[in-house]
Amino acid sequence: MLNIEDIEKAKERINNYVNKTPVLSSSLLNEWIGHEIFFKAECLQKIGAFKARGACNAISWLIENNEKPKKVIANSSGNHAQAVAWAARQFNIPATIYMPAYASKIKIQATNAYGAQIELCENRNVADEKVKQASQEKGTCWIPPFNHNQVIAGQGTAIYEALNQVSDIDAVFAPCGGGGLLSGTLIATRSLSPATKVIGAEPLNANDAAQSLRMNAIQKLSSVPDTIADGAMTMAVGDITFEYLKMLDDMYEIEESKIIYWTQWLTHLLKLQVEPTSATAMDAVAQWLKNQKTKKRVMVILSGGNIDQTTQLTLWNNNYLTFRPNT
Amino acid sequence: MLNIEDIEKAKERINNYVNKTPVLSSSLLNEWIGHEIFFKAECLQKIGAFKARGACNAISWLIENNEKPKKVIANSSGNHAQAVAWAARQFNIPATIYMPAYASKIKIQATNAYGAQIELCENRNVADEKVKQASQEKGTCWIPPFNHNQVIAGQGTAIYEALNQVSDIDAVFAPCGGGGLLSGTLIATRSLSPATKVIGAEPLNANDAAQSLRMNAIQKLSSVPDTIADGAMTMAVGDITFEYLKMLDDMYEIEESKIIYWTQWLTHLLKLQVEPTSATAMDAVAQWLKNQKTKKRVMVILSGGNIDQTTQLTLWNNNYLTFRPNT
């Protein structure tokens, strides 16, 4: 299993490429909730999400090991696509990203803007098949979105930084898609601050991780889940990430209305573009804090800030800003 | 007239209260436009807008001159209301804000959250009348939104900071409501960097400043303007600010669709909540850069980030993110 040295080495590798994102807080929110909540703003990371860390580490680890690929490939319709495109460009490696044709135009456009070639596929299964085929080619390296040691080590650098920016944190919270961010977060936190709880959150409508933890075996969703948190739509966690997820202190399952509620409020209070996926972690914070008897200091990883126009319309359809957060 | 020392003194006064906001840029946008564009992110300022600077300076200037008021009052339905409420609280002075009853709930709530008493009035005229009456009371100080030397000096600290954060700026751009931000920006820029152009922008639908400059006399809008840029809905500039506005290098009048276009794109590229009012300045940048023959470095003041839910719905009704900015 990975340890803190893997994360420290990842940090050294990616330091010159990624942003050291700020840790922010809202004095109004803290006053209303009665605790101290810190936000690691990975929405201000390169490509607008923590995914830049893992992709960058995976590629530079290959280079460090004299295995610089002639080409990198990935299959994704989301932030991982942009992350691999961006990271490949940092090292002047051509990249091809296999995306389902129904992926949002803006994400295709952004991936393309980072210089990657885009292969639009009929659907997700076709993309998965094509990337597998392409990976057989000599010199081609397939960078998976989460179930990969160097991707996990890269994602762990976010909380590694955050715990050095703010001390005495009682609990850290991060959203769960495939579990890469949470796995890295767990490894770093257990080592840097063993008493700190590490807690995950995922949409109730995409609760494969929570189900898997209950069954003690990886469960796969039977169909594409209906959730606004597009970063957490992953059908199943990976065999590598699952081993780390088992060590979490808790995993919350969040209702859609709560995801929208916190997306609106975090946007409003922090003046940041906050992905719905990140808001799942904030609702977990609110639930967890309600059961605490003493004042706590918690850290939330705001995983990303990429939101397309149709999602914005759904997000702002109802007004949750008239119901202010409280204890 | 005010000079650079007034702004330097304002900066000293407010330094411990306001945020030193970051200057950000988007490498994608710079690549697409072919110039270097820097953003002074006043949306990350206290209360979510540059207005905190002016209100804070006006109150601390009074205290410095042994005129600490027993009470401060203001009439506003927008960011100035929150700014005065917040600033008064920093100095433990009670504040009353006169707001029209139709002001957005979220702005009333925020002003209230900073500890101010809210007086809801039938309409704007009634609020204006009531604040005038209340200002007669001994020890009560009325803080106007823009037509006030210490408010202007405070607003000027934003560009003062920015020009010390990034050098060699060819032109600075700021939106125009009542002209307080632009006046302060002009004073600071002319002194710190005399060759730098200072350019304003306002909605075409609320172009009282441009009309006033053309007529060389202050023009008042005949009715409340129909614009999404609520920070620029002011009916007329002030006699103090007008004298500074006359010295601007240009004033652009921006169409509504362009305001929405740039609000969407700046939000998307910077991952910040950007008020439509701020986007007016960005369209002026785009227009100005089209006529430049050499590569330029420009600074845009992102004036604020307070957007209510109904404005969000209007903002995201159409998808402008499929039309990417270019030269």
Side-chain angles (χ1 to χ4, degrees):
Chain A
M1 303 209 46
L2 293 163
N3 59 39
I4 190 73
E5 277 172 34
D6 296 300
I7 291 171
E8 283 167 347
K9 280 185 196 153
K11 185 149 173 52
E12 275 170 41
R13 271 183 217 113
I14 69 176
N15 240 357
N16 290 337
Y17 301 97
V18 302
N19 295 333
K20 181 175 177 177
T21 54
V23 171
L24 305 169
S25 61
S26 159
S27 50
L28 276 186
L29 181 65
N30 288 345
E31 199 178 307
W32 292 339
I33 301 257
H35 297 272
E36 282 182 277
I37 307 171
F38 298 94
F39 298 93
K40 177 68 169 167
E42 286 295 296
C43 43
L44 301 178
Q45 187 50 267
K46 297 284 180 196
I47 74 106
F50 72 94
K51 293 273 186 185
R53 296 176 181 269
C56 186
N57 186 52
I59 295 178
S60 54
W61 178 85
L62 287 168
I63 295 170
E64 192 179 294
N65 287 278
N66 293 316
E67 295 175 32
K68 182 172 177 172
K70 282 186 186 147
K71 187 179 178 181
V72 298
I73 56 173
N75 50 331
S76 165
S77 58
N79 290 335
H80 181 61
Q82 295 177 59
V84 171
W86 167 83
R89 193 193 210 186
Q90 306 312 305
F91 302 100
N92 294 309
I93 301 171
T96 301
I97 313 291
Y98 297 82
M99 300 178 94
Y102 54 74
S104 85
K105 268 190 192 172
I106 188 72
K107 284 181 178 171
I108 295 172
Q109 183 189 63
T111 307
N112 190 249
Y114 292 116
Q117 197 184 324
I118 313 290
E119 289 277 345
L120 289 183
C121 308
E122 213 177 307
N123 56 45
R124 183 66 194 241
N125 289 338
V126 175
D128 291 353
E129 196 46 51
K130 281 201 174 175
V131 80
K132 206 181 270 178
Q133 277 173 22
S135 70
Q136 305 301 319
E137 221 165 290
K138 209 183 156 229
T140 294
C141 180
W142 177 16
I143 303 189
F146 50 85
N147 206 42
H148 180 289
N149 278 335
Q150 296 309 323
V151 170
I152 292 171
Q155 319 304 33
T157 62
I159 196 71
Y160 185 95
E161 254 176 42
L163 293 177
N164 281 293
Q165 286 165 294
V166 180
S167 56
D168 297 321
I169 294 296
D170 296 299
V172 302
F173 293 78
C176 187
L181 176 61
L182 265 171
S183 296
T185 301
L186 185 107
I187 298 157
T189 307
R190 286 284 185 263
S191 170
L192 291 179
S193 181
T196 301
K197 307 271 183 219
V198 183
I199 297 171
E202 67 181 349
L204 179 62
N205 287 359
N207 66 346
D208 61 287
Q211 284 187 48
S212 302
L213 291 168
R214 277 192 289 270
M215 307 286 281
N216 202 28
I218 295 171
Q219 305 297 304
K220 196 176 172 181
L221 295 173
S222 54
S223 61
V224 176
D226 179 21
T227 175
I228 195 166
D230 57 352
M233 286 174 87
T234 323
M235 304 298 280
V237 302
D239 59 340
I240 303 176
T241 56
F242 189 49
E243 294 307 308
Y244 297 107
L245 297 180
K246 287 178 186 169
M247 292 184 265
L248 292 175
D249 293 290
D250 212 339
M251 173 70 79
Y252 284 77
E253 296 156 79
I254 314 296
E255 288 172 20
E256 291 298 301
S257 63
K258 286 295 186 181
I259 299 175
I260 296 176
Y261 176 90
W262 282 113
T263 307
Q264 288 196 1
W265 270 101
L266 293 182
T267 303
H268 176 61
L269 290 169
L270 300 173
K271 308 303 173 200
L272 294 177
Q273 186 82 337
V274 173
E275 283 188 13
T277 303
S278 308
T280 60
M282 181 60 215
D283 193 61
V285 167
Q287 290 188 44
W288 186 80
L289 285 174
K290 278 198 170 61
N291 293 320
Q292 304 305 312
K293 283 166 189 155
T294 55
K295 196 170 172 178
K296 300 292 181 193
R297 284 161 66 86
V298 306
M299 177 74 68
V300 187
I301 304 182
L302 296 181
S303 49
N306 293 324
I307 307 180
D308 60 22
Q309 174 257 347
T310 50
T311 306
Q312 291 278 16
L313 266 190
T314 309
L315 268 177
W316 295 102
N317 193 39
N318 293 306
N319 189 2
Y320 288 99
L321 295 179
T322 47
F323 307 99
R324 105 179 187 192
N326 55 33
T327 39
Chain B
M1 305 221 21
L2 292 162
N3 60 39
I4 190 73
E5 278 174 32
D6 295 301
I7 290 171
E8 282 168 347
K9 279 184 196 155
K11 186 149 172 51
E12 277 172 40
R13 270 182 220 115
I14 69 177
N15 240 357
N16 291 337
Y17 301 97
V18 302
N19 295 333
K20 182 176 177 176
T21 55
V23 171
L24 305 169
S25 60
S26 159
S27 50
L28 276 185
L29 181 64
N30 287 345
E31 200 177 307
W32 292 338
I33 301 259
H35 296 273
E36 282 181 276
I37 306 171
F38 299 93
F39 297 94
K40 176 68 170 167
E42 285 294 296
C43 44
L44 300 178
Q45 186 51 266
K46 297 285 179 192
I47 74 107
F50 72 93
K51 294 274 187 184
R53 297 176 181 268
C56 186
N57 186 52
I59 295 178
S60 54
W61 179 83
L62 287 169
I63 294 170
E64 192 179 293
N65 287 277
N66 293 315
E67 295 174 32
K68 182 171 177 172
K70 283 186 184 148
K71 187 179 178 181
V72 298
I73 56 173
N75 50 330
S76 164
S77 58
N79 290 335
H80 180 61
Q82 295 176 59
V84 172
W86 168 83
R89 193 192 209 187
Q90 305 311 306
F91 302 100
N92 295 310
I93 301 171
T96 301
I97 313 291
Y98 298 82
M99 300 178 92
Y102 53 74
S104 84
K105 268 190 193 175
I106 189 70
K107 284 181 179 171
I108 295 172
Q109 184 190 63
T111 307
N112 191 247
Y114 292 116
Q117 197 185 325
I118 314 290
E119 290 278 344
L120 289 182
C121 307
E122 214 176 308
N123 56 46
R124 183 66 194 241
N125 290 337
V126 174
D128 291 353
E129 195 47 51
K130 281 201 175 175
V131 80
K132 206 180 272 178
Q133 276 173 21
S135 71
Q136 305 301 320
E137 221 165 290
K138 209 181 156 230
T140 294
C141 181
W142 177 15
I143 302 188
F146 50 85
N147 206 42
H148 180 290
N149 278 335
Q150 296 310 322
V151 170
I152 292 170
Q155 319 304 32
T157 61
I159 196 71
Y160 184 95
E161 254 175 44
L163 293 176
N164 281 294
Q165 287 165 294
V166 180
S167 56
D168 297 321
I169 294 297
D170 296 300
V172 302
F173 293 78
C176 187
L181 176 62
L182 266 172
S183 296
T185 300
L186 185 108
I187 299 158
T189 308
R190 285 286 185 261
S191 171
L192 291 180
S193 181
T196 302
K197 306 270 184 219
V198 183
I199 296 171
E202 66 181 349
L204 179 61
N205 288 357
N207 65 346
D208 60 288
Q211 285 188 48
S212 302
L213 290 169
R214 277 193 288 271
M215 309 285 280
N216 201 31
I218 296 172
Q219 305 296 305
K220 194 175 174 181
L221 296 173
S222 55
S223 61
V224 176
D226 180 21
T227 175
I228 196 167
D230 57 351
M233 286 174 87
T234 323
M235 304 298 280
V237 301
D239 58 341
I240 303 175
T241 56
F242 189 48
E243 294 308 308
Y244 297 106
L245 297 180
K246 286 177 186 171
M247 291 184 266
L248 292 174
D249 293 290
D250 212 339
M251 173 70 77
Y252 284 77
E253 297 156 78
I254 315 297
E255 286 171 22
E256 291 300 300
S257 63
K258 286 296 185 181
I259 298 174
I260 296 176
Y261 176 90
W262 281 113
T263 306
Q264 288 194 2
W265 270 102
L266 292 183
T267 303
H268 177 61
L269 290 168
L270 300 172
K271 309 304 175 199
L272 294 178
Q273 185 81 338
V274 173
E275 283 188 13
T277 303
S278 308
T280 61
M282 182 60 215
D283 194 62
V285 167
Q287 291 189 44
W288 187 78
L289 285 174
K290 278 198 169 59
N291 293 320
Q292 304 304 313
K293 283 164 188 156
T294 54
K295 196 171 173 180
K296 300 293 181 191
R297 285 160 65 87
V298 305
M299 176 74 69
V300 187
I301 304 181
L302 296 180
S303 49
N306 294 323
I307 307 179
D308 61 23
Q309 173 259 347
T310 50
T311 306
Q312 291 278 17
L313 267 189
T314 309
L315 269 176
W316 295 101
N317 192 39
N318 292 304
N319 190 3
Y320 289 98
L321 295 179
T322 46
F323 308 98
R324 105 179 187 192
N326 55 33
T327 40

